[in-house]
Amino acid sequence: MSRADNLQLAEKSKMGASESTAVVEYKAPIIMKEEEEDLEIKLRRILENVPVRVSNTSGSSAGSGSGDFHQYRQMRRKEQDRLMRMEVDYQKRKEIAEFNLRREERLKAAEESTAKKRLKRQKKKQKKKENKKSKVEDAGGNGEEQRKEQASSDSGESDDNKGALDNE
Protein backbone atom coordinates (compact mmCIF):
# COMPACT_ATOMS: atom_id res chain seq x y z
CA MET A 1 0.00 0.00 0.00
CA SER A 2 1.09 3.43 -0.74
CA ARG A 3 1.00 6.39 1.52
CA ALA A 4 -2.03 7.83 -0.26
CA ASP A 5 -3.96 4.59 0.32
CA ASN A 6 -3.19 4.72 4.02
CA LEU A 7 -4.48 8.30 4.24
CA GLN A 8 -7.71 7.34 2.46
CA LEU A 9 -8.28 4.40 4.81
CA ALA A 10 -7.64 6.62 7.81
CA GLU A 11 -10.17 9.17 6.52
CA LYS A 12 -12.79 6.46 5.92
CA SER A 13 -12.30 5.00 9.36
CA LYS A 14 -12.70 8.46 10.91
CA MET A 15 -15.88 9.07 8.95
CA GLY A 16 -17.24 5.65 9.87
CA ALA A 17 -16.64 6.29 13.55
CA SER A 18 -18.53 9.56 13.51
CA GLU A 19 -21.39 8.11 11.49
CA SER A 20 -21.74 5.01 13.65
CA THR A 21 -25.22 3.90 14.64
CA ALA A 22 -24.08 1.82 17.58
CA VAL A 23 -26.21 1.99 20.71
CA VAL A 24 -24.33 3.51 23.60
CA GLU A 25 -25.44 2.55 27.08
CA TYR A 26 -26.04 5.51 29.39
CA LYS A 27 -24.14 5.34 32.62
CA ALA A 28 -25.49 7.52 35.40
CA PRO A 29 -22.93 9.55 37.28
CA ILE A 30 -21.76 7.98 40.48
CA ILE A 31 -23.89 9.18 43.36
CA MET A 32 -21.87 9.62 46.50
CA LYS A 33 -23.06 9.79 50.03
CA GLU A 34 -23.12 13.20 51.67
CA GLU A 35 -20.09 12.37 53.83
CA GLU A 36 -18.08 11.17 50.83
CA GLU A 37 -19.11 14.23 48.86
CA ASP A 38 -18.00 16.51 51.69
CA LEU A 39 -14.71 14.67 51.82
CA GLU A 40 -14.23 15.07 48.08
CA ILE A 41 -14.94 18.80 48.32
CA LYS A 42 -12.50 19.17 51.19
CA LEU A 43 -9.79 17.25 49.37
CA ARG A 44 -10.31 19.32 46.23
CA ARG A 45 -10.12 22.55 48.26
CA ILE A 46 -6.93 21.37 49.95
CA LEU A 47 -5.32 20.51 46.64
CA GLU A 48 -6.30 23.86 45.16
CA ASN A 49 -5.29 26.06 48.09
CA VAL A 50 -2.29 24.37 49.70
CA PRO A 51 0.89 25.22 47.84
CA VAL A 52 3.23 22.44 46.87
CA ARG A 53 6.49 22.95 48.73
CA VAL A 54 9.14 22.08 46.20
CA SER A 55 11.57 24.95 46.30
CA ASN A 56 15.32 24.72 45.95
CA THR A 57 15.45 20.96 45.73
CA SER A 58 18.92 19.53 45.59
CA GLY A 59 19.96 17.96 42.35
CA SER A 60 20.97 14.34 41.99
CA SER A 61 24.53 15.11 41.08
CA ALA A 62 27.33 13.21 42.75
CA GLY A 63 29.00 16.18 44.39
CA SER A 64 27.63 19.03 46.41
CA GLY A 65 28.43 22.64 45.84
CA SER A 66 29.66 24.98 48.50
CA GLY A 67 26.25 26.66 48.91
CA ASP A 68 24.19 23.48 49.22
CA PHE A 69 24.74 23.11 52.95
CA HIS A 70 23.51 26.64 53.60
CA GLN A 71 20.46 26.05 51.43
CA TYR A 72 19.79 22.81 53.30
CA ARG A 73 20.03 24.58 56.68
CA GLN A 74 17.69 27.33 55.50
CA MET A 75 15.08 24.87 54.16
CA ARG A 76 15.35 22.79 57.34
CA ARG A 77 14.87 25.85 59.53
CA LYS A 78 11.83 26.99 57.49
CA GLU A 79 10.27 23.54 57.69
CA GLN A 80 10.88 23.35 61.45
CA ASP A 81 9.33 26.80 61.87
CA ARG A 82 6.33 25.72 59.86
CA LEU A 83 5.93 22.56 61.96
CA MET A 84 6.32 24.60 65.15
CA ARG A 85 3.59 27.04 64.01
CA MET A 86 1.33 24.09 63.19
CA GLU A 87 1.97 22.60 66.65
CA VAL A 88 1.28 25.92 68.40
CA ASP A 89 -1.89 26.40 66.37
CA TYR A 90 -3.01 22.87 67.24
CA GLN A 91 -2.31 23.46 70.94
CA LYS A 92 -4.29 26.74 70.88
CA ARG A 93 -7.24 25.07 69.21
CA LYS A 94 -7.07 22.19 71.68
CA GLU A 95 -6.99 24.58 74.67
CA ILE A 96 -9.90 26.58 73.28
CA ALA A 97 -11.92 23.41 72.75
CA GLU A 98 -11.16 22.20 76.29
CA PHE A 99 -12.02 25.62 77.71
CA ASN A 100 -15.34 25.70 75.87
CA LEU A 101 -16.12 22.19 77.10
CA ARG A 102 -15.35 23.10 80.73
CA ARG A 103 -17.31 26.35 80.32
CA GLU A 104 -20.36 24.49 79.03
CA GLU A 105 -20.13 22.09 81.98
CA ARG A 106 -19.90 24.98 84.45
CA LEU A 107 -22.84 26.77 82.83
CA LYS A 108 -24.89 23.58 82.92
CA ALA A 109 -24.06 23.00 86.60
CA ALA A 110 -24.90 26.64 87.43
CA GLU A 111 -28.20 26.38 85.57
CA GLU A 112 -29.08 23.18 87.43
CA SER A 113 -28.32 24.68 90.83
CA THR A 114 -30.25 27.84 89.92
CA ALA A 115 -33.24 25.75 88.85
CA LYS A 116 -33.05 23.76 92.09
CA LYS A 117 -32.94 26.92 94.21
CA ARG A 118 -35.75 28.48 92.17
CA LEU A 119 -37.90 25.40 92.77
CA LYS A 120 -37.12 25.56 96.48
CA ARG A 121 -38.10 29.26 96.62
CA GLN A 122 -41.32 28.57 94.75
CA LYS A 123 -42.21 25.71 97.10
CA LYS A 124 -41.49 27.89 100.12
CA LYS A 125 -43.61 30.70 98.67
CA GLN A 126 -46.45 28.31 97.86
CA LYS A 127 -46.32 26.79 101.36
CA LYS A 128 -46.37 30.26 102.93
CA LYS A 129 -49.35 31.20 100.75
CA GLU A 130 -51.20 28.00 101.74
CA ASN A 131 -50.48 28.58 105.45
CA LYS A 132 -51.78 32.14 105.19
CA LYS A 133 -54.88 30.92 103.37
CA SER A 134 -55.53 28.18 105.93
CA LYS A 135 -55.14 30.69 108.80
CA VAL A 136 -57.69 32.98 107.18
CA GLU A 137 -60.08 30.06 106.70
CA ASP A 138 -59.61 28.91 110.28
CA ALA A 139 -60.11 32.40 111.61
CA GLY A 140 -63.04 32.95 109.25
CA GLY A 141 -64.78 29.71 110.26
CA ASN A 142 -64.33 30.34 113.98
CA GLY A 143 -65.25 33.98 113.53
CA GLU A 144 -68.66 33.12 112.10
CA GLU A 145 -69.45 30.82 115.01
CA GLN A 146 -68.26 33.45 117.47
CA ARG A 147 -70.39 36.09 115.75
CA LYS A 148 -73.48 33.87 116.01
CA GLU A 149 -72.81 33.29 119.68
CA GLN A 150 -72.25 36.98 120.25
CA ALA A 151 -75.42 37.88 118.34
CA SER A 152 -77.50 35.48 120.40
CA SER A 153 -75.99 36.71 123.64
CA ASP A 154 -76.53 40.32 122.60
CA SER A 155 -80.22 39.69 122.02
CA GLY A 156 -80.51 38.95 125.62
CA GLU A 157 -80.72 35.51 126.98
CA SER A 158 -79.66 32.19 125.78
CA ASP A 159 -82.09 29.47 124.76
CA ASP A 160 -82.00 27.88 128.20
CA ASN A 161 -82.76 31.14 129.92
CA LYS A 162 -85.69 31.89 127.58
CA GLY A 163 -87.45 28.72 128.63
CA ALA A 164 -86.95 29.54 132.27
CA LEU A 165 -88.31 33.02 131.85
CA ASP A 166 -91.40 31.82 130.01
CA ASN A 167 -92.25 29.47 132.83
CA GLU A 168 -92.34 32.27 135.38
Side-chain angles (χ1 to χ4, degrees):
M1 282 186 158
S2 68
R3 186 174 178 186
D5 291 335
N6 286 340
L7 288 174
Q8 286 177 354
L9 285 175
E11 287 177 18
K12 286 183 183 179
S13 65
K14 285 181 187 177
M15 290 175 69
S18 64
E19 296 175 1
S20 174
T21 58
V23 176
V24 178
E25 184 178 341
Y26 173 74
K27 292 183 180 179
I30 299 172
I31 299 173
M32 289 188 260
K33 294 180 182 175
E34 188 174 321
E35 297 168 353
E36 293 173 352
E37 189 173 314
D38 290 342
L39 184 63
E40 289 291 324
I41 291 170
K42 288 177 185 176
L43 288 173
R44 194 174 311 122
R45 188 178 305 139
I46 288 170
L47 290 175
E48 291 171 356
N49 295 331
V50 175
V52 178
R53 295 191 182 265
V54 182
S55 58
N56 277 336
T57 58
S58 301
S60 60
S61 62
S64 297
S66 60
D68 287 345
F69 178 68
H70 302 293
Q71 288 177 351
Y72 164 75
R73 274 189 14 197
Q74 182 182 16
M75 286 189 302
R76 184 169 157 246
R77 188 184 70 234
K78 284 182 179 179
E79 184 64 17
Q80 287 178 344
D81 289 344
R82 185 180 75 86
L83 292 175
M84 185 63 70
R85 284 193 309 270
M86 286 173 50
E87 183 68 25
V88 168
D89 185 47
Y90 171 74
Q91 290 297 330
K92 282 183 183 177
R93 289 179 188 221
K94 186 177 175 183
E95 288 174 4
I96 290 171
E98 289 174 357
F99 170 77
N100 286 335
L101 183 65
R102 288 192 314 264
R103 181 174 179 255
E104 289 295 324
E105 289 174 357
R106 286 192 309 264
L107 289 174
K108 186 177 179 182
E111 181 64 31
E112 287 175 358
S113 66
T114 304
K116 188 176 179 181
K117 289 179 182 178
R118 182 185 315 119
L119 183 62
K120 188 176 179 181
R121 283 192 312 269
Q122 287 174 348
K123 283 183 179 179
K124 186 177 178 183
K125 186 177 179 181
Q126 184 68 25
K127 190 173 183 179
K128 188 176 181 181
K129 194 174 185 181
E130 288 174 3
N131 286 340
K132 188 176 181 183
K133 189 176 182 181
S134 65
K135 283 184 180 180
V136 169
E137 287 176 359
D138 290 344
N142 292 339
E144 289 178 17
E145 291 175 5
Q146 289 175 357
R147 285 185 208 141
K148 288 181 182 178
E149 289 177 7
Q150 285 178 352
S152 64
S153 64
D154 287 343
S155 64
E157 304 113 20
S158 65
D159 293 337
D160 295 336
N161 291 339
K162 281 185 180 180
L165 293 175
D166 291 338
N167 291 336
E168 293 178 7

